[in-house]
């Protein structure tokens, strides 16, 4: 992907940054993402977009993984 889309203009946070933090597990929750980037902490207009991008790219926790992929009986 060549282009970045700024999602949070107030703090200059791009969709690429959100995807990288979510996929790498460096931000395992929206709270951690908010603390690391500042996104969603000023005007709040980016909140829905930030949440959607984060959730689409989030690395599932072990609990989430096994809920989605139960072990065979």
């Amino acid at each position: 992907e060549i282009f970045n889309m700024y999602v949070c203009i107030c703090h200059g946070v791009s969709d690429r940054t959100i995807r990288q933090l979510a996929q790498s597990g460096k931000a395992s929750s929206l709270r951690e993402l908010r603390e690391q980037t500042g996104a969603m902490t000023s005007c709040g207009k980016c909140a829905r977009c930030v949440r959607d991008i984060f959730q689409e790219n989030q690395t599932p926790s072990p609990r989430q993984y096994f809920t989605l992929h139960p072990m065979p009986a």
Side-chain angles (χ1 to χ4, degrees):
E1 194 170 300
I2 298 171
F3 300 102
N4 276 332
M5 176 180 71
Y6 282 97
V7 177
C8 176
I9 303 302
C10 297
H11 295 279
V13 181
S14 70
D15 60 331
R16 178 180 288 174
T17 299
I18 296 166
R19 281 195 309 275
Q20 287 174 338
L21 289 170
Q23 291 171 354
S24 69
K26 291 181 181 176
S28 60
S29 67
L30 284 171
R31 174 180 283 175
E32 288 181 4
L33 180 73
R34 187 173 55 241
E35 290 169 354
Q36 291 178 41
T37 65
M40 305 182 293
T41 62
S42 291
C43 76
K45 290 183 180 181
C46 64
R48 180 178 291 156
C49 188
V50 169
R51 183 193 67 225
D52 290 347
I53 294 168
F54 181 78
Q55 289 177 343
E56 288 171 6
N57 291 279
Q58 188 176 21
T59 302
S61 69
R63 182 179 204 167
Q64 292 168 326
Y65 180 84
F66 287 113
T67 300
L68 296 171
H69 304 92
M71 295 186 68

